[in-house]
Amino acid sequence: MLQNYFPILLFVIVGLMVGVGPIVLGKLVSPNRPDPEKLSPYECGFEAFEDTRMRFDVRYYLVAILFILFDLEIAFLFPWAVVLKEIGMFGFGAMLVFLAILTIGFIYEWKKGALEWE
Amino acid sequence: MEFIQGLLGEQAGLVVWTLLKIVAIVAPMMLAVAYLTLAERKVIGYMQLRIGPNRVGPYGLLQPIADGVKLLLKEIILPAKSNKALFIIGPILSIAPALAAWAVVPFTDTLVLANIDASLLYIMAVTSMGVYGVIIAGWAANSKYSFLGAMRSAAQIVSYEIAMGFALVTVLMVSGSLNLVEIVNQQGRGMGGGSILSWNLIPLFPMFIVYLIAGVAETNRAPFDVAEGESEIVAGFHVEYSGMAFAVFFLAEYANMILIAALTSLMFLGGWLSPFPASWGLLGASGFIWLALKISLVLFCFLWFRATFPRYRYDQIMRLGWKVFIPVTLVWVVVVGAWMMSPLSLWQ
């Protein structure tokens, strides 16, 4: 059982190596001639006006929170979907109730304007 | 395998043998990624009545190698105000998941590195990690353009992941397994007897469309590439990257495209099954060649979209994700459930 997962661990390590390898190689092979202009953040030829760690739109937070809600719901749906053929009508009905409650929440946030990007 | 184990002992032999198998997957993958970039330029070139790259080697076939060498010899700039460690971790975190997911992708019904029962769950988990690479890169660079690009791209990726998840749920419902080999085999058992009529493509057609479009949005490809949007935020989250650090992002994007195409082929297009009935002899035989053809077809659609559609506006992207795809998929989960409960079910 567990040895089935061992190749996956190795594959993750190889994946990381494929990322690390070229960057290290590039660092070794390529020239390194820093100067202050080159190292300043790109801003269309201007000096940077203000710090980048600025305030940004709260809607990004909102999207992140809504994403967590829905992704959790999908995590609930996964095991249900796999055994749906066995649990039959009762399981289907139970999930319908769950989805209905979720849909009410979805309608609420839609009406509240949480999904507007104007 | 016995030979290597005899040479190195049982444990070390197993590790080396597994590593060899992994290299046998990763090396062709990297080659495919390199030539996908050439294919993209050629295909879009011909679609715009140009001929695309044709100077380096015959028909421009050495172009990807020339590009690679050029990027290798360019300086890797570390911006003065950036968080240096995170800046380097960003690209690594975006390519590692794109490759690691291939550990469980089956190529035929017996040819798979790790045939685990939770393979689809593993793929969902690993591909979700990709968004960290984008956010970390955009944040660490400490440039306004990369920060804005990272925020946009992260919000877009998570939004479409929900629609993608619902589409996966319908596939799970009809196949009753998280194992990708089983999902494909199940598509071979329908009334069409393994031909195109029994694939998930037909009963789950709306989900196929949603999955494909969400896949384009997940990989930040045109027409959903506002994260890169050359004309407004120059290149989005990787504007400060140069040389090999940039190349790794580039590889990750194309590796993700191939992964999405492979998953689409496995879950909706019957994987390695032939589109013809099994009684047609050689044409009806299943094999890796069919999977390769289906992946290429989906990838061609990716390139085709880029040549055809103008870029969406950001609010339109979010509206499509939240207000169209999520309701549609939610309804279709219920419809498929009801269909399976009814006497008309195709999946007894």
Side-chain angles (χ1 to χ4, degrees):
Chain A
M1 179 62 197
L2 254 185
Q3 65 253 46
N4 277 344
Y5 287 84
F6 174 68
I8 296 179
L9 178 69
L10 267 185
F11 212 122
V12 172
I13 295 170
V14 170
L16 289 171
M17 285 304 124
V18 173
V20 174
I23 294 179
V24 171
L25 193 68
K27 203 74 188 156
L28 292 177
V29 176
S30 65
N32 185 21
R33 285 188 283 273
D35 74 68
E37 288 300 318
K38 196 195 272 178
L39 297 187
S40 64
Y42 171 74
E43 208 163 312
C44 299
F46 292 105
E47 298 282 322
F49 283 119
E50 56 190 70
D51 194 43
T52 309
R53 305 286 151 83
M54 54 190 177
R55 288 186 285 182
F56 58 92
D57 203 323
V58 71
R59 275 177 299 200
Y60 290 113
Y61 286 114
L62 211 55
V63 166
I65 292 169
L66 294 180
F67 163 71
I68 292 174
L69 279 181
F70 277 91
D71 215 36
L72 210 61
E73 179 209 345
I74 290 166
F76 282 136
L77 280 173
F78 261 52
W80 168 80
V82 173
V83 294
L84 181 61
K85 280 175 200 164
E86 283 102 82
I87 55 181
M89 208 56 208
F90 174 74
F92 181 59
M95 192 45 86
L96 272 189
V97 174
F98 175 68
L99 286 180
I101 295 171
L102 200 106
T103 310
I104 293 170
F106 186 62
I107 292 170
Y108 174 75
E109 72 203 28
W110 189 322
K111 292 289 169 205
K112 269 281 179 190
L115 308 176
E116 303 298 329
W117 283 80
E118 276 309 315
Chain B
M1 180 177 175
E2 277 79 28
F3 173 69
I4 299 173
Q5 278 189 331
L7 215 59
L8 297 165
E10 199 168 334
Q11 296 293 324
L14 188 66
V15 173
V16 170
W17 178 244
T18 314
L19 273 177
L20 281 177
K21 283 199 278 191
I22 291 173
V23 170
I25 296 174
V26 170
M29 257 298 292
M30 283 301 153
L31 206 65
V33 166
Y35 279 91
L36 179 58
T37 63
L38 178 67
E40 168 165 47
R41 294 165 69 179
K42 277 284 184 191
V43 167
I44 294 179
Y46 280 111
M47 282 180 180
Q48 296 168 344
L49 299 181
R50 299 180 285 115
I51 46 176
N54 68 339
R55 288 292 145 194
V56 193
Y59 306 103
L61 277 177
L62 297 177
Q63 184 72 41
I65 296 160
D67 288 341
V69 171
K70 189 196 85 176
L71 283 168
L72 184 64
L73 296 175
K74 293 286 177 187
E75 179 176 357
I76 299 177
I77 299 170
L78 284 174
K81 284 182 173 174
S82 64
N83 303 33
K84 306 276 188 309
L86 288 180
F87 191 77
I88 294 298
I89 289 174
I92 297 168
L93 256 190
S94 73
I95 195 162
L99 290 177
W102 284 91
V104 297
V105 172
F107 299 102
T108 69
D109 47 359
T110 49
L111 194 65
V112 47
L113 181 65
N115 190 0
I116 56 172
D117 279 338
S119 46
L120 201 59
L121 196 63
Y122 167 78
I123 284 182
M124 273 285 278
V126 164
T127 49
S128 315
M129 295 290 291
V131 69
Y132 286 108
V134 171
I135 283 205
I136 288 176
W139 175 261
N142 211 345
S143 155
K144 276 169 207 144
Y145 290 106
S146 57
F147 179 62
L148 286 174
M151 294 311 288
R152 283 184 181 191
S153 142
Q156 173 187 335
I157 291 174
V158 298
S159 302
Y160 280 86
E161 205 159 293
I162 300 170
M164 221 169 185
F166 275 124
L168 289 188
V169 166
T170 57
V171 174
L172 292 183
M173 286 161 73
V174 300
S175 40
S177 173
L178 277 163
N179 187 323
L180 278 168
V181 178
E182 182 51 37
I183 288 174
V184 175
N185 284 339
Q186 184 273 333
Q187 294 182 59
R189 283 199 285 271
M191 51 179 198
S195 72
I196 191 165
L197 292 173
S198 66
W199 298 351
N200 283 340
L201 172 71
I202 293 173
L204 301 181
F205 188 71
M207 291 298 101
F208 168 69
I209 297 295
V210 167
Y211 189 85
L212 192 62
I213 296 175
V216 177
E218 282 278 289
T219 47
N220 280 325
R221 295 285 305 171
F224 302 104
D225 61 344
V226 285
E228 301 188 14
E230 295 91 345
S231 49
E232 33 175 337
I233 50 172
V234 282
F237 62 90
H238 53 50
V239 59
E240 297 288 349
Y241 282 87
S242 63
M244 262 342 231
F246 168 75
V248 170
F249 267 124
F250 205 68
L251 292 179
E253 178 181 334
Y254 284 83
N256 266 324
M257 274 167 69
I258 300 182
L259 180 67
I260 295 280
L263 290 177
T264 313
S265 316
L266 288 169
M267 291 189 301
F268 294 100
L269 302 178
W272 50 81
L273 300 173
S274 160
F276 305 108
S279 54
W280 283 25
L282 203 57
L283 264 183
S286 60
F288 174 68
I289 183 77
W290 288 116
L291 182 62
L293 278 176
K294 286 166 191 172
I295 293 176
S296 313
L297 180 73
V298 178
L299 284 174
F300 179 75
C301 291
F302 272 70
L303 309 183
W304 194 3
F305 293 156
R306 178 164 172 192
T308 308
F309 298 117
R311 183 177 299 136
Y312 267 74
R313 224 168 50 218
Y314 195 65
D315 61 306
Q316 292 171 328
I317 291 180
M318 296 309 263
R319 193 181 63 211
L320 182 68
W322 285 95
K323 294 188 174 175
V324 179
F325 279 2
I326 291 179
V328 164
T329 48
L330 208 56
V331 168
W332 202 256
V333 166
V334 175
V335 168
V336 171
W339 189 357
M340 287 176 66
M341 292 301 128
S342 75
L344 295 172
S345 171
L346 300 171
W347 306 279
Q348 292 302 340

